[in-house]
Amino acid sequence: MSTNSNSSSSATAIEISLSHSCEMTVSGIIAPDDRDANKLVLTTPDGCQFRAAPLGDITAIEGDKQWLVIPIMQTDGTITRMQIVAAHSPTEPAADKFVCVGRTRQVSRKHNIVTVKIDRHGETTIRPTLLDPPEAVKTGQLWHFVAQRVGMKLAIIIAEPIAEAEIRAAAAKSLPSVTPKTVYNPRNVDRDKSAELMAIALETLNNELSSSPGNGLHQRDWELSLTRVKEPTWEWEAQSLVPSELRARVQVNSRRLSARVYVYPHRSKFGETGRRGDGETGGLGELEKADGEKYLDRLIVTPLGAARGIGASCFRVQIGPYEIVMDAGTRPKGSDPLPAFELLEHPNLILITHAHLDHIGALPIFHRDFPDVPMICTHGTREIAHVMLTDGLKVQTAKQREGNEDFGQVFSADDLDRTLFTLQTQPIGVDFSPLPGLTVRFIHAGHIVGAACIYMQYGNRSLLYTGDYNTTSSRTAEGLKLADLPEADILITESTYGADTHPSRRSQESDLIKAIVEVVSAGGNVLIPAFALGRAQEIILAIRTSALFHSINVPVYVDGLVREVTDLFQTQLELLPASVQNFAKTQSPFFSEKSSPRIISIGLPKERPLAIAHPSVIIASSGMLTGGASIGYAKILLERENAAVFISGYTDEESPGRLLQSLEPGAEIELDGTPLTVRAKIQRFNLSAHADRVGITQVIHRVNPQHLILIHGSKSALHELSRAGDLRDKYWIHIPEVGDTITFGQAPEHLSKAQVARVDAGQEFDIEIEAEFDGAWLRIADSVLEDPRWQHLAATGLLSAKWTKGGLMLKPASHKSFTVDAAILSGMDCCAVCEFFDGYLCRGEDSPLYKRDVDPTAKCPVYVRQAVAVESQQVDVELEVEPILAEIDLDLEEDESDD
């Protein structure tokens, strides 16, 4: 073994540290496993066998070759698996070698091994264990190691220490002549490599533009920002420095040294000529020339999903001359996972609110069907979409292999790659114009990282689509600010918790931590099934910052998709609130070997038994126990009396997570085909990332729409929200089904004339009162006399009056009103006090009396008593009067004049 550290070898080590942090070559035959044809095995000439798996998009990896690999090993140094990077073509045969530069983390003289931490240019950090370290190796040092494979392990043959000063000096010399502006700073970026690959990116970009004559753009006209590194893919955003909106995205494969370019804004459907990409006439110019101002007031909404339920969020908006799509999600179960894309005609644009799969899961299908349609979201949503959609593809593929017809593959790896590459981004809070005459703005939604509400305006019409939002801040996302919301003609709002009011978030966090400590202090394990995106990281941060949890020495294990999303958060801290970024200045907010408590990533299924072999906390996906890593843990822990399963948020009505909450100890449940007896403690904590009824109604009143469209909620939540406060008096409320059309200016069919007029004509008008010795005259405008509400008020010529605070309330006195009042005062359970009764008609859709004129004293099978006792269901008009009128006796008469 050599420990040479002369200048030549030191320079070599520095070069490796800047461009090749880890590389291993191994010779052998890769072929299907005899026991499982779906798996591959690498067999070396000396008879050793390792599981083999391709890394990334590597294909055709079978055969007898020398391979570039990344070894996956146990803590004792035994190699268990080889991740195949590429086939290697050496000039001559060589022994299997492993070359790396890394920082030593643990040195064991007893076992003669050293564990090395190797950062891999934005990829997941690896920690190989090597045999035979020299005496000079100490913990925390930077070393260049060359090791040779000996059987199933790696033995060091060269070890060279690297001085930190030499690294800094070499890095300074390697700076490119034109330094890229890094907006979102990828970690562990190799600067020499960055300069080389950026030169390839610029050359490819210029070659692409040179094929479009007359654009006048050259290399000096671009500013490149390195925005994403995930080996082997490096990505830059290019911004034109000349007066232009032109932007570009360039990706370079660092292994193949190949590149591709996407230039946008891309307007193939509607350009300056007003021609559609399919040859049909369209666009602002032609349509307005042909139809004048017809399109200035056009605004039509058609739900393609998430109507009267949750899943497959997707909406078609016809605004001005355009057909805009908002979101393209999937349903998590059932044989029909996609939105009703068949209802689309010629979409011109799709806008995405956030990266949960029920809002973005079908985007690759949309892009495959409509490849020329621009797709736009926020930067945070695009970053997270890489993780979520990649995992979605893995789940689809796995289910398809299992023969599950409900989870047939809906998009391919190629569909996904094309979608992610061409997904455009726009900043939050800035107006942009993706199509002529159309203004769009992303508004911070507070739901998860990158989530945005969408505001759009064309001509005289405007619309706001909330996506999912939260008015309360969490640890990973600041809440939506009401002041950021503009008024709009139509509001489409999610209603997940339209029937609920959330408890204090801080108190729920505190209760969760106390419950965890109680279980683990008694020697048990706690499983927290959590949504992988946002919720899991919020719980990790709550644990990290809890003084109570710091008092116990219990590890926290992170598994499943939770691990991958947390990795992304750890490398993209710029996406998180300032509080997390400040915390990260002193210590890692998520994974850290030195953190208290220890946050440990579970990388392989075989490691899971270790996580529950002693008191611990496990945070794993999925949050509803419908799949993912949490199922495996639950199958064991649910039958342990000293264990607990803590649900942290929303659960679907048919999910195992919802069923668990209703079970008594000793009850049985089936998880993934396995019958279990529940002995563990089950408890739910409300850490929802959605607004509750209070938050939703605040948003509605702030936007003040004429049309209010309620979506993304259970049937009960939607109808409960529609009856909240005075919403029915102020807005035309729609609870549509998929395919229903809502057109601006057209009231819902189920509304009475009085309800339509109440919104259309407003709530206030001016009157004059002329007092006389034996009565008074009300002098009002003709427009009010034509209002159906006034006609109802004057139907009998009789009014009843009652003083209220600061005014006088008048209401029509009729035989029916007398009957309603008498029924209410009787205290009976009858239609008069049913929440579906509006004074005349039944509004209960499941009632046999639906939309019928009913007897107030009647009762039907779907009767539900109002939570608050009512005084009257009649339409009331409140009139302000002068203080001198201490008593008033009105005898309403009709006159042909303006009285």
Side-chain angles (χ1 to χ4, degrees):
M1 177 174 58
S2 168
T3 57
N4 183 12
S5 59
N6 60 36
S7 60
S8 176
S9 62
S10 180
T12 302
I14 293 170
E15 181 180 352
I16 292 174
S17 72
L18 291 173
S19 59
H20 304 287
S21 61
C22 174
E23 182 175 286
M24 181 176 178
T25 56
V26 60
S27 299
I29 301 173
I30 297 181
D33 190 342
D34 293 336
R35 295 167 295 181
D36 186 348
N38 292 322
K39 297 180 180 179
L40 298 173
V41 173
L42 170 60
T43 305
T44 61
D46 59 352
C48 293
Q49 287 193 330
F50 307 93
R51 282 187 56 196
L55 183 65
D57 56 355
I58 306 301
T59 58
I61 66 169
E62 296 184 22
D64 186 1
K65 301 176 184 177
Q66 190 174 64
W67 307 92
L68 285 175
V69 304
I70 295 173
I72 307 300
M73 42 186 31
Q74 297 176 347
T75 55
D76 66 350
T78 301
I79 302 172
T80 59
R81 182 160 55 99
M82 299 285 193
Q83 288 187 325
I84 311 301
V85 177
H88 188 47
S89 301
T91 56
E92 57 185 24
D96 297 347
K97 287 188 178 181
F98 176 80
V99 182
C100 74
V101 168
R103 196 171 298 278
T104 55
R105 305 303 296 175
Q106 185 175 358
V107 181
S108 173
R109 298 302 173 191
K110 178 179 179 181
H111 298 95
N112 196 29
I113 58 176
V114 58
T115 301
V116 185
K117 178 184 178 184
I118 302 173
D119 295 319
R120 297 166 49 222
H121 312 312
E123 297 262 345
T124 303
T125 298
I126 65 172
R127 296 173 175 82
T129 299
L130 311 178
L131 306 182
D132 303 330
E135 289 294 328
V137 173
K138 307 293 181 184
T139 301
Q141 297 175 336
L142 192 64
W143 283 78
H144 164 221
F145 291 113
V146 178
Q148 185 169 315
R149 185 180 63 82
V150 180
M152 307 290 285
K153 298 187 178 183
L154 297 173
I156 297 172
I157 58 174
I158 297 176
E160 299 170 340
I162 302 176
E164 300 285 350
E166 292 175 333
I167 288 290
R168 289 192 293 269
K173 293 177 182 177
S174 71
L175 289 175
S177 57
V178 181
T179 305
K181 175 185 175 185
T182 303
V183 180
Y184 300 97
N185 182 27
R187 271 48 173 178
N188 309 316
V189 168
D190 180 329
R191 298 187 181 185
D192 271 348
K193 197 172 187 177
S194 174
E196 175 188 0
L197 297 180
M198 189 181 74
I200 296 174
L202 278 171
E203 181 182 3
T204 307
L205 177 60
N206 291 323
N207 289 339
E208 175 77 14
L209 294 173
S210 66
S211 63
S212 302
N215 56 43
L217 295 173
H218 308 286
Q219 180 171 338
R220 67 177 183 275
D221 298 322
W222 292 95
E223 180 180 50
L224 263 63
S225 302
L226 181 62
T227 55
R228 197 166 195 276
V229 178
K230 188 171 180 61
E231 286 287 1
T233 302
W234 291 55
E235 185 174 283
W236 287 265
E237 290 290 330
Q239 178 67 51
S240 170
L241 295 179
V242 299
S244 171
E245 295 181 359
L246 200 63
R247 297 168 61 190
R249 177 175 298 130
V250 189
Q251 279 186 0
V252 178
N253 187 298
S254 64
R255 298 195 183 104
R256 296 194 296 262
L257 298 183
S258 59
R260 58 178 176 172
V261 174
Y262 175 63
V263 179
Y264 61 96
H266 184 54
R267 294 175 178 170
S268 62
K269 283 287 183 180
F270 287 104
E272 294 180 359
T273 62
R275 283 276 172 186
R276 288 182 178 171
D278 54 16
E280 295 183 11
T281 302
L284 177 64
E286 293 294 329
L287 287 171
E288 287 195 343
K289 287 177 184 177
D291 300 297
E293 297 183 353
K294 172 183 176 181
Y295 287 95
L296 296 179
D297 290 301
R298 182 179 185 238
L299 182 55
I300 305 170
V301 175
T302 306
L304 308 183
R308 303 196 181 189
I310 295 176
S313 290
C314 187
F315 302 89
R316 180 180 73 170
V317 176
Q318 295 166 281
I319 184 169
Y322 304 125
E323 182 179 12
I324 313 297
V325 181
M326 299 187 300
D327 282 345
T330 50
R331 296 179 182 87
K333 57 187 176 181
S335 58
D336 186 19
L338 299 178
F341 286 151
E342 65 275 9
L343 297 180
L344 295 174
E345 298 175 1
H346 300 286
N348 312 114
L349 175 71
I350 183 167
L351 303 168
I352 300 296
T353 60
H354 67 284
H356 276 142
L357 289 181
D358 63 324
H359 291 256
I360 200 174
L363 188 60
I365 297 298
F366 177 89
H367 185 54
R368 185 180 66 195
D369 293 345
F370 304 100
D372 291 330
V373 175
M375 305 174 291
I376 307 178
C377 64
T378 68
H379 170 78
T381 292
R382 181 172 180 264
E383 286 299 309
I384 296 170
H386 279 80
V387 175
M388 301 301 290
L389 287 173
T390 300
D391 183 76
L393 179 60
K394 290 178 182 177
V395 172
Q396 293 171 23
T397 303
K399 294 294 184 181
Q400 192 176 41
R401 286 175 181 171
E402 295 171 3
N404 190 326
E405 296 180 357
D406 287 349
F407 288 85
Q409 185 168 321
V410 296
F411 61 86
S412 68
D414 288 341
D415 296 330
L416 176 58
D417 178 66
R418 286 190 293 267
T419 300
L420 293 175
F421 180 58
T422 56
L423 185 56
Q424 301 179 24
T425 62
Q426 287 288 347
I428 287 179
V430 178
D431 289 351
F432 60 98
S433 181
L435 296 166
L438 179 70
T439 298
V440 176
R441 185 190 315 156
F442 287 135
I443 300 168
H444 178 74
H447 176 56
I448 59 170
V449 170
C453 306
I454 298 172
Y455 171 77
M456 66 176 70
Q457 183 269 331
Y458 182 93
N460 301 324
R461 299 278 72 88
S462 59
L463 174 143
L464 182 72
Y465 167 49
T466 65
D468 293 350
Y469 63 98
N470 194 359
T471 53
T472 302
S473 295
S474 69
R475 293 179 182 270
T476 57
E478 295 179 357
L480 178 148
K481 295 178 175 60
L482 294 176
D484 291 342
L485 297 174
E487 292 193 353
D489 295 319
I490 292 181
L491 171 63
I492 308 173
T493 177
E494 66 123 320
S495 311
T496 312
Y497 285 97
D500 301 297
T501 302
H502 295 328
S504 164
R505 195 174 196 87
R506 290 300 181 189
S507 67
Q508 287 292 290
E509 280 188 3
S510 177
D511 291 345
L512 173 61
I513 297 297
K514 290 177 182 177
I516 292 173
V517 171
E518 180 181 349
V519 173
V520 297
S521 296
N525 303 93
V526 173
L527 170 64
I528 305 177
F531 289 107
L533 176 51
R535 183 75 45 75
Q537 294 75 33
E538 183 180 353
I539 294 172
I540 292 172
L541 289 171
I543 290 174
R544 288 293 312 277
T545 56
S546 168
L548 178 61
F549 203 96
H550 287 183
S551 65
I552 58 175
N553 185 24
V554 173
V556 177
Y557 293 93
V558 176
D559 200 353
L561 183 58
V562 173
R563 181 186 67 253
E564 297 178 40
V565 175
T566 307
D567 277 336
L568 172 65
F569 278 25
Q570 187 139 309
T571 58
Q572 294 278 346
L573 291 173
E574 297 86 355
L575 301 175
L576 299 175
S579 58
V580 180
Q581 296 184 42
N582 291 334
F583 184 83
K585 292 177 181 178
T586 58
Q587 56 184 306
S588 171
F590 301 110
F591 297 129
S592 176
E593 296 179 355
K594 296 182 179 179
S595 67
S596 177
R598 291 173 293 150
I599 310 295
I600 302 171
S601 174
I602 297 294
L604 297 171
K606 68 180 181 180
E607 299 174 357
R608 290 171 182 167
L610 299 176
I612 56 177
H614 48 77
S616 64
V617 178
I618 302 104
I619 304 172
S621 52
S622 70
M624 300 189 209
L625 284 172
T626 53
S630 61
I631 290 288
Y633 294 107
K635 287 181 179 179
I636 298 173
L637 297 182
L638 279 175
E639 295 194 322
R640 291 185 182 179
E641 293 183 354
N642 66 341
V645 176
F646 292 153
I647 306 298
S648 59
Y650 177 81
T651 50
D652 185 82
E653 292 180 358
E654 300 178 3
S655 68
R658 176 71 66 89
L659 177 59
L660 268 179
Q661 298 171 50
S662 63
L663 297 181
E664 297 293 332
E668 292 188 353
I669 188 173
E670 185 175 298
L671 280 184
D672 198 27
T674 303
L676 303 168
T677 301
V678 178
R679 298 185 177 91
K681 179 180 181 181
I682 310 297
Q683 192 170 348
R684 180 180 182 271
F685 299 88
N686 192 331
L687 298 178
S688 175
H690 296 262
D692 63 2
R693 180 166 57 181
V694 174
I696 295 172
T697 53
Q698 287 176 333
V699 167
I700 292 171
H701 291 314
R702 172 68 185 183
V703 177
N704 192 30
Q706 177 165 328
H707 295 264
L708 173 59
I709 304 175
L710 305 181
I711 48 89
H712 197 287
S714 66
K715 185 177 179 180
S716 60
L718 295 169
H719 287 283
E720 185 74 18
L721 177 61
S722 72
R723 294 187 289 268
D726 57 354
L727 296 185
R728 286 186 169 184
D729 294 332
K730 291 187 174 182
Y731 315 108
W732 290 346
I733 300 178
H734 307 260
I735 304 178
E737 295 182 349
V738 171
D740 286 352
T741 296
I742 298 105
T743 302
F744 176 80
Q746 294 183 10
E749 294 181 357
H750 66 271
L751 294 184
S752 66
K753 291 183 179 180
Q755 288 175 305
V756 172
R758 188 178 301 129
V759 175
D760 199 25
Q763 299 293 313
E764 298 181 359
F765 58 89
D766 295 327
I767 67 168
E768 296 180 11
I769 296 181
E770 295 182 3
E772 297 184 359
F773 178 76
D774 57 350
W777 289 93
L778 303 181
R779 192 176 300 276
I780 60 177
D782 289 338
S783 59
V784 177
L785 291 176
E786 297 172 357
D787 191 315
R789 289 171 291 180
W790 182 263
Q791 296 170 11
H792 172 68
L793 187 71
T796 64
L798 300 174
L799 297 175
S800 62
K802 182 176 72 173
W803 287 109
T804 64
K805 183 178 181 180
L808 185 68
M809 178 183 292
L810 307 178
K811 62 180 181 180
S814 65
H815 294 297
K816 184 152 191 175
S817 66
F818 295 145
T819 305
V820 171
D821 290 340
I824 292 172
L825 293 174
S826 72
M828 296 188 303
D829 288 342
C830 57
C831 288
V833 291
C834 176
E835 67 176 28
F836 300 118
F837 183 65
D838 72 353
Y840 289 90
L841 301 178
C842 174
R843 301 300 178 188
E845 295 184 2
D846 297 326
S847 171
L849 302 177
Y850 180 52
K851 290 187 177 181
R852 295 180 180 274
D853 191 349
V854 300
D855 182 350
T857 62
K859 184 178 178 180
C860 78
V862 299
Y863 165 82
V864 178
R865 188 176 182 85
Q866 296 185 34
V868 180
V870 294
E871 292 187 0
S872 175
Q873 297 292 327
Q874 299 288 354
V875 177
D876 296 334
V877 178
E878 185 174 307
L879 306 178
E880 299 292 333
V881 299
E882 294 293 336
I884 59 172
L885 298 177
E887 183 176 355
I888 189 166
D889 181 16
L890 298 178
D891 183 10
L892 191 65
E893 298 180 357
E894 294 186 15
D895 195 315
E896 293 182 357
S897 68
D898 62 352
D899 291 347

